[in-house]
Amino acid sequence: MKVTVLKEAGYKEALFGLSLSYNTEPSEEVANNLAWKHGGHNKFLESMMVWLDIDAPRYWWSQADTYRLTSKQSESTMHTIIRKPLDETDFQDGIWYPLLRELNFKINLKDFRWVKRHLPESFLQRREWRVDYKTLQNICMQRATHKLPEWQLFIKELTGQLEHPEFVYKDDK
């Protein structure tokens, strides 16, 4: 699994919007105080946008699709799955060799339907996400102790690259 922050935008605009609520100058201190107060107090986080490039297994994406994102685009298995043979690097933690051999046999025959139906959940798919900080905060709170280790990896990679990780993740340890 690989997570890359492509771009961030909206920090100054979020502070400006927050200052309107208090009729004050934009303040990082006020933002820091409100970032973890729910019930509408942290709505300024919705103005802070992040574009992510994520390469993750299908089983992770099925859970990630729980979250409402502003936008997402993905590698299309419909258009790409039978273009080239697959190898172990196309899967999270490899693949059982007899299945890989059969997949490649069917790819060679251009049997799209068979390949699509038998593609393992460990197949890596790449997507671009555009998401706001408030949604990222929600993801991090809900998935920090999830039993799939990919969620901890996602949080680690994400917070290691964000300009303001303090708004999305608090390590309470």
Side-chain angles (χ1 to χ4, degrees):
M1 181 173 181
K2 188 175 175 185
V3 179
T4 305
V5 173
L6 299 172
K7 182 178 180 176
E8 291 189 50
Y11 178 70
K12 289 180 183 178
E13 294 79 4
L15 291 184
F16 171 74
L18 183 56
S19 74
L20 294 176
S21 296
Y22 294 91
N23 195 21
T24 62
E25 292 297 314
S27 166
E28 290 184 17
E29 183 180 343
V30 172
N32 288 332
N33 289 335
L34 294 178
W36 291 94
K37 292 186 179 179
H38 301 287
H41 297 289
N42 66 353
K43 66 183 176 185
F44 75 96
L45 295 174
E46 295 171 359
S47 296
M48 297 172 61
M49 302 304 297
V50 181
W51 286 259
L52 300 170
D53 177 5
I54 305 170
D55 198 7
R58 290 162 45 121
Y59 59 82
W60 186 86
W61 283 119
S62 66
Q63 291 186 359
D65 285 340
T66 299
Y67 299 97
R68 291 166 185 85
L69 304 176
T70 307
S71 137
K72 60 185 174 184
Q73 298 183 68
S74 67
E75 272 181 337
S76 170
T77 53
M78 180 78 163
H79 296 108
T80 63
I81 197 63
I82 60 172
R83 277 194 188 160
K84 67 172 185 68
L86 299 173
D87 64 44
E88 285 191 8
T89 63
D90 292 311
F91 302 88
Q92 182 77 15
D93 301 324
I95 183 174
W96 187 52
Y97 182 74
L99 177 55
L100 178 62
R101 191 176 58 228
E102 187 66 20
L103 284 165
N104 282 327
F105 176 73
K106 296 294 187 173
I107 286 170
N108 191 47
L109 295 176
K110 305 292 185 200
D111 190 346
F112 168 79
R113 186 167 185 240
W114 192 96
V115 173
K116 183 78 169 157
R117 288 173 58 205
H118 293 88
L119 198 59
E121 284 292 293
S122 63
F123 180 73
L124 294 167
Q125 185 181 41
R126 190 173 177 191
R127 294 186 188 177
E128 178 194 57
W129 265 10
R130 187 178 79 218
V131 61
D132 63 59
Y133 262 65
K134 190 171 180 185
T135 301
L136 289 174
Q137 185 187 83
N138 190 36
I139 291 170
C140 290
M141 286 188 324
Q142 292 178 0
R143 303 292 173 151
T145 59
H146 196 275
K147 60 184 163 184
L148 281 180
E150 287 83 2
W151 283 110
Q152 287 83 39
L153 179 60
F154 172 80
I155 292 168
K156 180 183 175 191
E157 293 294 317
L158 176 73
T159 57
Q161 298 175 56
L162 286 176
E163 294 171 12
H164 299 281
E166 69 277 8
F167 291 161
V168 300
Y169 182 69
K170 287 194 296 189
D171 190 357
D172 294 327
K173 292 178 185 173

